[in-house]
């Protein structure tokens, strides 16, 4: 039986993130101190700071995604491997991990699968042209419950943020439930996860164990 209490108090990762944030803050202060020197071009420093912040975001996304999922499935490595491979191939994907709130009353059910989670099986479900590739896969615990599910679309789309149907579906379900939804864009290969009505980009290469 898996522990339902997420342990997001990893002191090692928290200390790492804290140290990285302090390093970026120091870098920004150094940049600010040179701002009054007309001869100094800051564009290169801005690029380096953006790269450091992006690295911190990647670490934080990996940390929290693992925290959100680990109490509810033991297949984190399989999930991240499948998302990595789907991202590499630019295969669009929606993978829903059920947590406390039952999802079947909320989603439009697809085709029953009832199989253990493996990255190979997950990837095969999203091959372009496959019968179920446009729908969402539902995972409960360590099992793939069903595929080809239709999710409610988010209505909270701002004019500043244009997103596709998969991302709207990921956001829509996360707005209504506590589910975590992994999504891969077929246009860009970008992987993200939705939780609590927010969408977070992830670098799945760095989330692999």
């Amino acid at each position: 039986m898996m522990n339902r209490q997420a342990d997001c108090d990893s002191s090692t990762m928290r200390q790492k993130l804290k140290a990285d944030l302090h390093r970026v803050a120091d870098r920004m202060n150094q940049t600010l101190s040179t701002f009054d020197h007309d001869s100094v071009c800051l564009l290169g420093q801005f690029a380096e700071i953006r790269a450091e912040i992006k690295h911190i975001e990647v670490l934080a996304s990996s940390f929290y995604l693992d925290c959100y999922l680990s109490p509810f499935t033991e297949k984190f490595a399989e999930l991240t491997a499948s998302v990595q491979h789907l991202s590499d191939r630019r295969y669009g994907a929606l993978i829903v991990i059920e947590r406390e709130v039952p999802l079947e009353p909320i989603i439009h059910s697809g085709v029953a699968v009832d199989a253990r989670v493996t990255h190979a099986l997950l990837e095969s479900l999203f091959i372009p042209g496959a019968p179920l590739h446009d729908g969402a896969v539902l995972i409960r615990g360590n099992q793939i419950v069903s595929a080809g599910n239709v999710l409610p679309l988010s209505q909270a789309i701002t004019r500043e943020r244009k997103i596709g149907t998969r991302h709207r579906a990921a956001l829509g379900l996360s707005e209504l439930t506590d589910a975590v939804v992994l999504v891969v864009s077929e246009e860009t290969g970008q992987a993200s996860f939705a939780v609590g009505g927010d969408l977070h980009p992830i670098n799945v290469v760095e989330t692999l164990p």
Side-chain angles (χ1 to χ4, degrees), residues 14-15 22 25 58 67 76 92 102 110 112 115 178 183 190 199-200:
R14 285 184 180 276
Q15 289 303 314
H22 277 301
V58 166
C67 286
F76 182 74
D178 65 347
V183 57
Q190 172 65 54
L199 195 64
H200 305 280

Side-chain angles (χ1 to χ4, degrees), residues 56-139:
I56 295 171
E57 183 183 16
V58 166
L59 288 178
S61 292
S62 173
F63 172 57
Y64 286 108
L65 181 59
D66 191 8
C67 286
Y68 295 145
L69 294 184
S70 60
F72 299 94
T73 179
E74 296 166 343
K75 298 296 185 176
F76 182 74
E78 296 287 339
L79 289 168
T80 52
S82 64
V83 170
Q84 174 64 62
H85 299 155
L86 292 163
S87 176
D88 289 344
R89 296 170 175 82
R90 294 193 179 185
Y91 289 175
L94 269 176
I95 303 172
V96 178
I97 298 89
E98 185 179 83
R99 298 203 291 171
E100 296 287 355
V101 177
L103 299 179
E104 286 174 327
I106 299 170
I107 66 177
H108 189 280
S109 298
V111 176
V113 176
D114 193 23
R116 299 282 287 181
V117 173
T118 67
H119 69 84
L121 177 54
L122 278 173
E123 291 160 38
S124 71
L125 292 170
F126 293 109
I127 294 174
L132 304 173
H133 83 282
D134 275 335
V137 165
L138 173 60
I139 292 174

